[in-house]
Amino acid sequence: MAPAPAAPAPPSAWQQAMANAYASPIPIKKTNLGHALTSEWTKIKSVRSTMWTLGIFLLLVIGIGLLAVANTDPEDYRDVPFTIPAFFGLILGQICLITLGVLVTSSEYGTGMIRTTFTASPQRYRVLAAKALVFFVIAFVVSAGSIFFVGLVASGAHSGPGVGEVSWIDTVFKGGLYVSLLGVLALAVGSMLRHSAGAITTMLGVVLVPAILPAFLGIWDSTRKLGEKMTDYNAINSLAEIFKIDASFASGGGTAQLVLLVVVTAAALGGAFALLEKRDV
């Protein structure tokens, strides 16, 4: 005959204590991307660098834009969109978004707060995704809103017969999207380099070198085509294409430049996500 099963052992003292332990009335929820977004929104709106960089960006785009509006006549807008005054401010303003994009990631590494962030959210990819999403939305709203405001003022001040025939609403979307993507690219570079000064210097090189180098590449026949491509796709001429500043530019409205920037930004983000999982904090 099979032996009878042994009776279960009585619970020990510590097991009885754990059974009577305090249970928190606060419900336990599984963390998700929404929590990370809330956390990053709280961070980015509570630091001074955000207010300073965005404030200077608005001052440059709107201030220079309104100054240009005040010094132009209705005839100046016959072949260009009303948002053209905002273009001159964006040339400088894009540096503000680049700087802020770098600081969103690199500043936490500089202060060591990134350890606390990753302790609270061990899913590192979620943290970087939340940073990129929050920054992109803020940058796009601010940049597109400032471009739209300048265009609205220019259209009200210089409307007339034969003026304003060039569509300008698309320049609001494309212009805001372009400088916002530059900021996200800077965010990815900041995540990879983990050093504010190094990342900002790298991004300034990305923006300025392609605008300067074609003057030297055009000297030799073997590098002239490369210089021409750099001229077409550097940040300044890309914005000029988007804002239809000159009829000599291609008729694509900056679509090709936007596509290239999307590809480069996506590749940089992919590299940032890959390095984030391989490195120690």
Side-chain angles (χ1 to χ4, degrees), residues 2-248:
S12 61
W14 69 268
Q15 287 175 328
Q16 293 179 358
M18 290 299 296
N20 297 326
Y22 171 78
S24 174
I26 302 175
I28 300 175
K29 296 181 180 180
K30 187 177 181 180
T31 58
N32 52 47
L33 181 60
H35 298 125
L37 290 172
T38 302
S39 173
E40 295 305 325
W41 164 246
T42 302
K43 291 178 189 177
I44 199 170
K45 73 176 182 178
S46 59
V47 294
R48 294 180 181 178
S49 58
T50 303
M51 298 298 105
W52 276 105
T53 51
L54 292 183
I56 295 174
F57 175 84
L58 290 173
L59 180 64
L60 290 171
V61 177
I62 296 179
I64 295 177
L66 295 182
L67 183 64
V69 171
N71 288 276
T72 51
D73 300 317
E75 292 76 14
D76 297 325
Y77 296 89
R78 291 188 181 276
D79 300 321
V80 295
F82 281 122
T83 50
I84 203 70
F87 163 77
F88 303 103
L90 279 180
I91 294 177
L92 296 174
Q94 62 184 338
I95 298 176
C96 298
L97 293 185
I98 287 172
T99 302
L100 181 59
V102 168
L103 293 177
V104 166
T105 52
S106 63
S107 61
E108 283 198 70
Y109 286 99
T111 59
M113 284 300 296
I114 195 66
R115 298 184 182 91
T116 304
T117 298
F118 286 155
T119 300
S121 179
Q123 297 83 3
R124 298 184 178 189
Y125 68 89
R126 185 182 295 169
V127 173
L128 183 56
K131 288 180 181 292
L133 287 173
V134 170
F135 171 79
F136 175 78
V137 171
I138 293 174
F140 181 77
V141 170
V142 172
S143 56
S146 59
I147 297 170
F148 178 78
F149 178 77
V150 173
L152 200 63
V153 173
S155 64
H158 298 299
S159 58
V163 177
E165 296 180 354
V166 180
S167 174
W168 59 276
I169 297 300
D170 60 328
T171 64
V172 173
F173 174 78
K174 289 183 177 180
L177 182 60
Y178 190 88
V179 294
S180 300
L181 286 173
L182 272 179
V184 176
L185 176 59
L187 185 149
V189 172
S191 177
M192 289 188 286
L193 298 185
R194 299 184 173 189
H195 190 274
S196 299
I200 292 173
T201 302
T202 300
M203 284 303 303
L204 288 178
V206 170
V207 172
L208 298 178
V209 170
I212 300 172
L213 196 58
F216 301 94
L217 295 177
I219 298 174
W220 305 283
D221 293 335
S222 59
T223 58
R224 186 166 297 151
K225 288 186 178 180
L226 177 60
E228 291 173 355
K229 288 297 181 182
M230 282 190 177
T231 300
D232 293 337
Y233 288 91
N234 66 59
I236 296 175
N237 281 350
S238 295
L239 285 173
E241 174 82 21
I242 289 171
F243 282 87
K244 307 168 188 176
I245 195 171
D246 194 337
S248 62

Side-chain angles (χ1 to χ4, degrees), residues 263-279:
V263 172
V264 172
T265 303
L269 281 174
F273 278 110
L275 289 175
L276 193 65
E277 297 296 335
K278 293 182 178 180
R279 289 172 169 174

